[in-house]
Amino acid sequence: MKKQPSAKVAPSSAAPAFATARPLVRSGPPKKVAVIGAGPSGLCAAYELSLAGHHVTLLEAQTHPGGRVHTLREPFADGLHAEAGATWIADVHDFTLGYINLFDLPLEINATSPYPDEYYIDGKRIAPRDPDVKWPVKLTPEEEKLGLAGMRQKYVIDFLNEMGDAAAPGWPPDWLKKYDRMNYHEFLEHRGASPGAISLLTIDYGLWGDGIDTVSALVVLRDSSLLNKSNVSYHIRDGNDRLPYAFASRISALIRYGCPVTKIEHDAQGVRVHYDRGDRAETLNAEYLVCAIPFSVLRHIEISPPFPVPKRKAIHDLPYFSATRLYYQMHQRFWLEQHLSGNAHTDLTTEVLWNLTFNQLGMRGILDNYMGGPAARSVMHMAPAERLEFGLKNLTKVYPAARTYYEGGTSIAWDEDPWERGASSWYRPGQFLELYPHMAPPEGRVHFAGDHTSPWLRWMQGALESGCRAAGEVNRA
């Protein structure tokens, strides 16, 4: 397989605080800053603050950086790898692309397969190679004429084009707020989609919340709107975790690994962060704190005095997405012989299949079975081998030849990770307008970063944007 050339991508000018364009300029004496969490947001905040001359200490519970940006290289053969978390980088992700360029990391375009994705619906395998495909669901005559792309345009994309800049301060405008009270299924009904069309348009939406009936339509629409102008996606050659490792290598002396935080004290004079280091309890005194860990973890840390009620409610009520990913190493990329991309969209419990090795060399390949919400939790407590066998039974429904080529695999369930407790945050109907305004604002000397505090929910872009924002707040404080 031919390798894609590396790409250099210029960061957008839409990010005025972006590090490579306008580094932080310290106007007063250096501040002593504690940062919790060596995911992309904490690494970014620590990196920017240290460049500005502040005294930074970053505490990380694990023994490596990256958080949910985590690349799996074991147990795969032939140098293959697969992403456990952050997988794609869009061409509109200016912060992400800017840091990739800054650290001179090799970027590759996610090449479009010449072959179609497969669908498995109601027990039928469908590879839509032409617009006249017959879907095994009941559609209106107009929807049958429109086809899948036309239905997506009519019911979703036309609406996205009216939404404005979903990353702008003060978004959403008043006319959009009613969509926070709807779930995404209700939104599509509101747009006139038939039940059959809704089932097709949302076949992958088990990767949102606990399914389309549970998640705020406004949040799904915001995410779609932010990506609406994207034409190309990328990945970092040899793994997306090269980005957090690039940050960490530049501030290595500032990071203390294996140091889970147990308590945060804060007042008008400063902060005290209590943490465990091996078998010792230690305390870090600082003037300011950047809290860059998920709220799913923060809610288990004692905070004294407690934050105001709106912030406490945001921390304790924000739901986190259950995600389980099963990885299957195949002796050969047999799907290419069938003129298929290796990606599949299904109504099975195992939901979505991705070919994660389309840009990697060699004859072997990895299929990623991505399960979300209740489906993810249904296999989470299985033994590793049992998980893989469960997924493989469904995989062979989509690709009957799969078991013949299967060599082995692995899995990851983000709910099991005590330092993440979920793959990403989401919002139930009505929660976005109630909780989101209280995500990012600081509480005294405690500042907050992470994709959950950014419009770019679930993306590295959101983590990095929020890290820059929090660093700027502390620098100006």
Side-chain angles (χ1 to χ4, degrees):
M1 175 174 281
K2 186 178 179 180
K3 286 285 277 187
Q4 292 292 317
S6 296
K8 271 287 185 179
V9 183
S12 164
S13 59
F18 183 70
T20 59
R22 297 184 183 180
L24 295 180
V25 177
R26 180 168 53 82
S27 58
K31 300 178 175 75
K32 188 174 182 181
V33 185
V35 179
I36 301 174
S41 56
L43 290 165
C44 177
Y47 174 79
E48 293 296 336
L49 287 165
S50 65
L51 281 185
H54 298 290
H55 303 308
V56 180
T57 301
L58 196 166
L59 300 175
E60 166 56 45
Q62 302 187 85
T63 57
H64 60 84
R68 293 189 299 260
V69 183
H70 182 46
T71 304
L72 300 176
R73 295 179 176 83
E74 298 291 341
F76 306 121
D78 301 342
L80 295 177
H81 62 272
E83 299 299 342
T87 305
W88 315 117
I89 302 161
D91 54 359
V92 293
H93 290 171
D94 48 6
F95 281 86
T96 312
L97 294 171
Y99 280 113
I100 287 169
N101 281 350
L102 176 67
F103 299 144
D104 199 27
L105 299 175
L107 195 68
E108 294 181 336
I109 293 172
N110 292 329
T112 302
S113 173
Y115 305 129
D117 292 2
E118 185 165 32
Y119 286 76
Y120 184 91
I121 302 172
D122 195 26
K124 299 178 179 66
R125 298 176 64 207
I126 303 164
R129 292 180 171 86
D130 62 68
D132 297 324
V133 61
K134 297 298 181 183
W135 296 100
V137 297
K138 186 176 181 180
L139 302 173
T140 67
E142 181 193 11
E143 289 167 345
E144 287 183 350
K145 185 177 180 180
L146 285 170
L148 186 57
M151 288 188 286
R152 189 175 289 118
Q153 181 72 43
K154 174 182 173 65
Y155 297 132
V156 181
I157 296 176
D158 287 348
F159 187 87
L160 299 180
N161 291 333
E162 301 173 3
M163 287 178 58
D165 182 2
W171 191 90
D174 288 342
W175 72 271
L176 277 175
K177 291 180 179 178
K178 66 181 180 182
Y179 296 103
D180 185 41
R181 297 189 294 273
M182 294 183 187
N183 64 46
Y184 194 62
H185 188 284
E186 291 168 337
F187 164 77
L188 291 173
E189 287 182 327
H190 179 72
R191 293 287 289 169
S194 71
I198 293 173
S199 68
L200 289 179
L201 291 170
T202 60
I203 195 166
D204 293 345
Y205 279 65
L207 305 187
W208 263 110
D210 272 351
I212 62 167
D213 294 333
T214 69
V215 66
S216 162
L218 184 62
V219 174
V220 179
L221 292 166
R222 180 181 67 164
D223 183 73
S224 299
S225 177
L226 289 170
L227 295 173
N228 193 32
K229 303 300 183 184
S230 175
N231 296 306
V232 180
S233 67
Y234 305 91
H235 62 271
I236 300 172
R237 182 183 293 174
D238 299 326
N240 287 337
D241 68 350
R242 293 190 63 184
L243 180 56
Y245 275 94
F247 273 110
S249 68
R250 287 159 174 81
I251 57 170
S252 178
L254 310 181
I255 304 175
R256 298 179 188 176
Y257 291 112
C259 294
V261 171
T262 57
K263 182 178 180 180
I264 298 168
E265 296 179 297
H266 62 109
D267 54 35
Q269 285 69 49
V271 295
R272 289 159 299 286
V273 182
H274 303 271
Y275 62 96
D276 292 333
R277 196 175 194 180
D279 59 357
R280 304 187 309 277
E282 297 187 359
T283 300
L284 175 63
N285 295 299
E287 297 171 84
Y288 294 91
L289 169 66
V290 175
C291 183
I293 57 176
F295 280 1
S296 54
V297 177
L298 181 60
R299 65 182 61 140
H300 296 279
I301 295 174
E302 182 183 354
I303 299 170
S304 179
F307 294 138
V309 170
K311 179 69 80 176
R312 295 208 310 269
K313 185 171 180 60
I315 293 169
H316 286 276
D317 289 1
L318 183 67
Y320 273 73
F321 174 58
S322 299
T324 300
R325 299 177 76 165
L326 313 177
Y327 302 89
Y328 300 93
Q329 179 177 298
M330 299 296 174
H331 175 70
Q332 186 176 326
R333 301 177 198 191
F334 60 86
W335 50 89
L336 298 178
E337 297 176 357
Q338 302 174 23
H339 293 173
L340 294 170
S341 69
N343 303 321
H345 317 271
T346 85
D347 59 4
L348 299 167
T349 307
T350 41
E351 300 187 306
V352 185
L353 292 169
W354 286 339
N355 165 24
L356 292 186
T357 44
F358 57 90
N359 265 31
Q360 298 181 48
L361 293 172
M363 66 177 186
R364 286 182 168 83
I366 300 171
L367 292 178
D368 170 18
N369 180 181
Y370 199 144
M371 307 166 66
R377 293 191 291 273
S378 71
V379 302
M380 188 177 70
H381 301 296
M382 294 180 182
E386 187 182 2
R387 275 184 199 168
L388 291 171
E389 178 59 27
F390 173 85
L392 193 58
K393 287 178 180 177
N394 280 322
L395 179 58
T396 54
K397 296 178 182 178
V398 183
Y399 296 127
R403 195 177 289 274
T404 303
Y405 294 96
Y406 175 58
E407 295 183 316
T410 190
S411 65
I412 186 167
W414 283 106
D415 281 11
E416 292 180 331
D417 188 326
W419 313 120
E420 302 296 343
R421 295 177 182 263
S424 60
S425 58
W426 57 285
Y427 294 84
R428 297 185 176 91
Q431 282 191 318
F432 180 78
L433 295 178
E434 179 188 17
L435 302 183
Y436 182 70
H438 306 291
M439 294 289 162
E443 300 295 342
R445 290 173 176 261
V446 181
H447 297 254
F448 299 89
D451 65 285
H452 54 287
T453 71
S454 167
W456 296 93
L457 189 68
R458 314 197 307 171
W459 296 98
M460 286 190 286
Q461 168 79 0
L464 296 168
E465 180 272 335
S466 69
C468 282
R469 172 191 48 75
E473 291 170 355
V474 171
N475 187 61
R476 294 187 298 271

